[in-house]
Structures are given as C-alpha cells and as structure tokens.
Amino acid sequence: MTEVRTLSPTPEQWSFAFGGRDPLLTVAPGTVVEVTTEDCFGGLVRGHDDLPSQVCTFPYLNPVSGPIAVEGAEVGDTLAVHFVEIVPARDWAVSTTFPHFGALTTTHATAMLHPALEERVWVYDVDVASGTCRFSARRSDFSVELPLDPMHGTVGVAPAAGEVLMSITPAAHGGNMDTPELRAGVTAYFPVNVPGGMLSIGDGHARQGEGEVCGTAVEAAMQTVVVIDLVKGSAPASPRLESDDFLITTGSTRPLEDAYRMSQLDLVGWTGSLLGLDDLDALQLVSQAGLAPVGNVVDTNYTMVGKLPKGLLGPAVAYDGTHDRLRAVGADYLRRR
C-alpha cells in the first residue's frame, strides 16, 4: 500500500525562499503527501480594511510549505510531482491591488512619474460544494459567480549552486510561476539541483486569469494532495508539466519575449526527442500545433508556457509513462480515503 505522509507547517516553519533550508519532511519516492498551505498574505488579509501594505511585512510574503526531501534524489535527476487534489481550505479568499506590483502600474522595475494604483482588497465567497467563488465589485452592486479552478502559483525545488531565491521569484527551479496549468490532475517535473531535491509548495489560487494582470489571483489557503516520485536522470532545464491532454513547458525570465523563447525552445526539444525529429522538423510541428498561454507578467521574472497536444505523439510517452502511473496512484488514494 502506498505510504501517506502529512505536512502541516506552523507559521514559524513557513519558508519564504527556495534553497538554504533543511527539510521539514523526508519521503521515499512514490509517497503520497497531504500538504496544507497558507495564502500569499499568510492569512493576514481577511477584509476590505486589511491593506497588505499595512498588515504584511516584506519580505514575509508568499509562504511555502516545505522543503520536502526525496530519498535517493541526486543532482541531475528529475522530481515528478503529481497533483491529486487541490481544495480551498476556507470559505473565503482575497485579491488585491498592491502598491508597485502588477502589470498595469508603476513597479520597482518599471519606474514612472505617476503614483501606483490605489491599494484595494476584494473578498471572494468560496463555495467548494458548488464549485464557485463570487466576485463582488467594490464601487458598484455588480457581482458574478466564477467557477473554481484551484491551482498552485508557487511550486519548486532548491536552486542550483547553493543559490537562495525568494519565493516570489520564478526561475529554472520553478518558484512563483503563477500558471493556471498547475492544477489537480497535472504532473510537474523539476530538475534536482541539490541532494533530496527539496520541494516546496504554496501560493494557492482558487482561480486565476492568465497573466495575473493585477498582481494577485483569488488567493486562498489550500488542502493539497500530491504524489512525489523520482525519475533518475533526465533533468529538464526548466520545469515541465504534463496533463492528460498536453505536454507543457515553462520559461521564466525578463523580458517576456525571452520567457516565451525559453518555453518554446524546450517544447521543440521535448517534442523532437519523443518523436525522433530533428530540430527544424520539431520546430515546424510546434509552430503549427503549439499553444502559448501566459503564466505571469507581474513577478520579479515573467513566466510563459508552451503546450503541445499529446494526441500528436502517437505511441510516444513522456518520462516512461510517469504521469499515467502517478495518476493511478492518486486515484487509488482517493478511493481508499
């Protein structure tokens, strides 16, 4: 029977960076882990008057749960993380405009003469049973129900070369990629840069539009279940994702066009290796069949995503069928629970 472990860190155990931390939990490959995560504000923004600039303290934003070390994970291996379930832990969630943060305001990296956008908080009612959250405008009576689409904005491993990166930064190790593709049913593949890999998870979103344009999603604490496994060797240059229907690559850097290039280059290479195509044939196929959703355009680095339908692969499978195998482990866990 698959081993099941639990990680529910206290606020004193939260991490706000990837790298430089001892593990809170060590697991064998193939273990199911039930993880609790707090929202990006550490649960401090609860109402309209709780302005983040007043109730939160930089750099203590975007707490992550972990690290989780994986036995036998060596530099150059691949950590496979299948998301079995992501469920909002509370009946409310929040979103904000945050001073000097977001795609349509002056920021630390985009200096402007005009002031930042007004700081404002929106509180969403979350109904897990109905699968909805409610947006209510602050300056009118308009409101509308939106479907829940829970995902984790921040997932990653320790960076290479002993580097320590803030949890708000996406890069080759993962981190705050903020892609809605990272939802339940998806397997994520991360490069192992240090012994044990050191996986951390946080920044739950009840839902998020592509780009996270205002700087925050529908930020929510989460109860999440993952299966963590190890693939020897084959470390990707940047995190890869796999759903039932798509191969998915990521690129995180600035400017946005270079993040796009990174994600597309990896998608071309991954496609070519699976189908035995040379670079130009793989480039041609991806050019005509690929998709390119935006992850985020607000963080310290931007994130772009590349997607290719798996129906084009024929009998070829990624990572020797790891996604299907871990999906079956997750389904068995849910049946037995």
Side-chain angles (χ1 to χ4, degrees), residues 23-273:
L24 293 181
L25 181 68
T26 300
V27 302
T31 300
V32 172
V33 182
E34 300 166 335
V35 184
T36 62
T37 67
E38 187 46 271
D39 67 36
C40 72
F41 301 115
L44 297 175
V45 178
R46 294 172 171 263
H48 294 151
D49 295 330
D50 294 327
L51 300 182
S53 65
Q54 297 177 11
V55 301
C56 299
T57 303
F58 185 82
Y60 302 108
L61 292 165
N62 209 41
V64 290
S65 297
I68 302 170
V70 180
E71 295 173 357
E74 301 173 306
V75 175
D77 291 342
T78 301
L79 214 61
V81 184
H82 180 76
F83 286 80
V84 178
E85 189 176 60
I86 306 173
V87 179
R90 298 188 285 243
D91 63 2
W92 57 271
V94 296
S95 190
T96 71
T97 45
F98 198 102
H100 303 293
F101 190 71
L104 299 180
T105 186
T106 172
T107 73
H108 73 285
T110 305
M112 296 287 184
L113 185 62
H114 62 75
L117 294 180
E118 172 195 344
E119 188 173 10
R120 188 183 296 180
V121 174
W122 291 261
V123 179
Y124 285 73
D125 295 324
V126 175
D127 189 334
V128 172
S130 68
T132 61
C133 59
R134 177 167 289 278
F135 164 73
S136 297
R138 290 291 313 279
R139 297 295 186 265
S140 78
D141 295 330
F142 178 83
S143 69
V144 63
E145 284 191 345
L146 302 173
L148 290 178
D149 187 12
M151 42 80 68
H152 276 285
T154 305
V155 185
V157 295
E163 190 174 17
V164 176
L165 291 174
M166 291 180 61
S167 61
I168 64 170
T169 298
H173 70 291
N176 196 29
M177 299 179 290
D178 284 322
T179 170
E181 304 293 340
L182 227 168
R183 54 175 63 91
V186 166
T187 301
Y189 303 102
F190 297 95
V192 175
N193 302 307
V194 302
M198 301 299 178
L199 173 74
S200 296
I201 300 171
D203 192 24
H205 296 169
R207 67 167 296 113
Q208 180 209 302
E210 292 176 357
E212 200 181 23
V213 63
C214 80
T216 60
V218 183
E219 307 288 342
M222 291 292 178
Q223 301 283 353
T224 294
V225 179
V226 295
V227 187
I228 304 174
D229 207 3
L230 182 64
V231 178
K232 298 302 291 184
S234 304
S238 294
R240 292 171 170 176
L241 312 178
E242 183 180 357
S243 68
D244 289 349
D245 299 320
F246 289 95
L247 298 181
I248 304 168
T249 57
T250 66
S252 296
T253 191
R254 288 198 182 203
L256 187 63
E257 56 263 35
D258 281 347
Y260 171 84
R261 292 183 179 107
M262 290 172 66
S263 63
Q264 292 296 309
L265 177 65
D266 193 32
L267 189 60
V268 168
W270 198 7
T271 300
S273 67

